[in-house]
Amino acid sequence: AQTVTQSQPEMSVQEAETVTLSCTYDTSESDYYLFWYKQPPSRQMILVIRQEAYKQQNATENRFSVNFQKAAKSFSLKISDSQLGDAAMYFCAYRRGSSNTGKLIFGQGTTLQVKP
Amino acid sequence: EAQVTQNPRYLITVTGKKLTVTCSQNMNHEYMSWYRQDPGLGLRQIYYSMNVEVTDKGDVPEGYKVSRKEKRNFPLILESPSPNQTSLYFCASSIGQGGSSPLHFGNGTRLTVT
């Protein structure tokens, strides 16, 4: 069975600094997708970034980028130039490329605090 | 605006009193799903639906029911709620069930069962 692990329950960063959130996963599949979702206090689940396993190039979205290490099964999120609005809970998630359940498997979440 | 709409946002009820949380999407998505979020556990899938009249259990289906009579609607039914169903619930939808289709989430329903 696939699993996703976020080992950092809480992280903090100074405004304008860079922070990296860790995520590891376990799967025997070769076709899969990885995601980072942001959940601010409003509870909304916002897709931050997506990575296809078959792509070697790391995904980037403005200040957000990932370090995808397929052999190590690691998928970390780097937030550059942190802003107060980045404060939220971040979830790492996995989904099989061809799934019969469509299930998104989530990690436990990391709460990010941004200090002014 | 493309969205998934859940209602209500907050719900407080008593043990055993049947309730329904509604979910509707306006994106013509085939796939819909329900998750519950609990501290330290992330989100876990309750039920999912591949299309109209096609539903199946996820990882934590006990105590829940769903129906998919129309493509846009996917209500979550708690026939006899218990305190261990106190949680934050999310409805989600996507074009298909494969990984290339990102899930779109509703804004969540905070349920408290006393």
Side-chain angles (χ1 to χ4, degrees):
Chain A
Q2 296 88 11
T3 58
V4 177
T5 302
Q6 293 176 250
S7 59
Q8 306 155 317
E10 296 178 354
M11 293 280 286
S12 67
V13 63
Q14 208 70 34
E15 195 176 5
E17 298 290 305
T18 295
V19 64
T20 298
L21 308 184
S22 301
C23 173
T24 59
Y25 61 95
D26 189 25
T27 184
S28 59
E29 303 287 332
S30 59
D31 179 20
Y32 57 89
Y33 293 74
L34 296 165
F35 306 85
W36 278 98
Y37 279 88
K38 172 185 177 182
Q39 186 180 49
S42 65
R43 301 189 324 223
Q44 191 179 4
M45 291 290 286
I46 302 165
L47 178 62
V48 174
I49 202 163
R50 180 178 85 165
Q51 174 79 43
E52 296 88 341
Y54 63 84
K55 287 189 177 178
Q56 291 187 339
Q57 188 173 5
N58 289 324
T60 62
E61 286 287 342
N62 300 314
R63 297 182 295 107
F64 298 86
S65 62
V66 298
N67 184 4
F68 175 45
Q69 301 288 327
K70 192 171 183 178
K73 295 180 181 173
S74 170
F75 183 60
S76 60
L77 175 70
K78 185 171 83 170
I79 306 174
S80 305
D81 184 25
S82 296
Q83 301 174 0
L84 295 177
D86 295 333
M89 179 167 279
Y90 287 82
F91 289 98
C92 177
Y94 165 102
R95 201 180 195 192
R96 285 176 61 184
S98 300
S99 171
N100 56 352
T101 69
K103 182 169 59 180
L104 199 56
I105 300 170
F106 286 86
Q108 300 88 335
T110 297
T111 299
L112 177 65
Q113 181 186 27
V114 180
K115 299 177 181 176
Chain B
E1 180 190 352
Q3 60 185 358
V4 178
T5 304
Q6 278 180 246
N7 280 298
R9 288 268 287 167
Y10 297 91
L11 182 56
I12 301 174
T13 189
V14 296
T15 299
K17 186 176 182 182
K18 182 179 178 180
L19 66 90
T20 299
V21 183
T22 64
C23 173
S24 180
Q25 51 91 6
N26 62 1
M27 296 170 278
N28 201 34
H29 284 171
E30 304 271 330
Y31 179 87
M32 297 186 75
S33 184
W34 277 101
Y35 289 81
R36 63 176 286 172
Q37 180 181 348
D38 301 290
L41 297 177
L43 284 77
R44 294 175 292 167
Q45 190 184 56
I46 303 171
Y47 266 94
Y48 64 94
S49 170
M50 300 290 196
N51 211 329
V52 176
E53 301 292 2
V54 181
T55 63
D56 209 342
K57 297 176 181 178
D59 292 329
V60 288
E62 294 77 21
Y64 305 96
K65 283 176 59 176
V66 293
S67 70
R68 187 95 182 270
K69 295 186 171 63
E70 306 164 280
K71 197 172 189 178
R72 63 184 293 127
N73 296 324
F74 190 47
L76 180 69
I77 303 155
L78 284 73
E79 295 265 351
S80 182
S82 62
N84 65 11
Q85 292 178 298
T86 292
S87 187
L88 177 59
Y89 291 86
F90 286 97
C91 180
S93 72
S94 60
I95 294 173
Q97 72 267 26
S100 62
S101 307
L103 272 177
H104 299 258
F105 286 85
N107 285 337
T109 296
R110 172 73 69 185
L111 172 65
T112 302
V113 183
T114 60

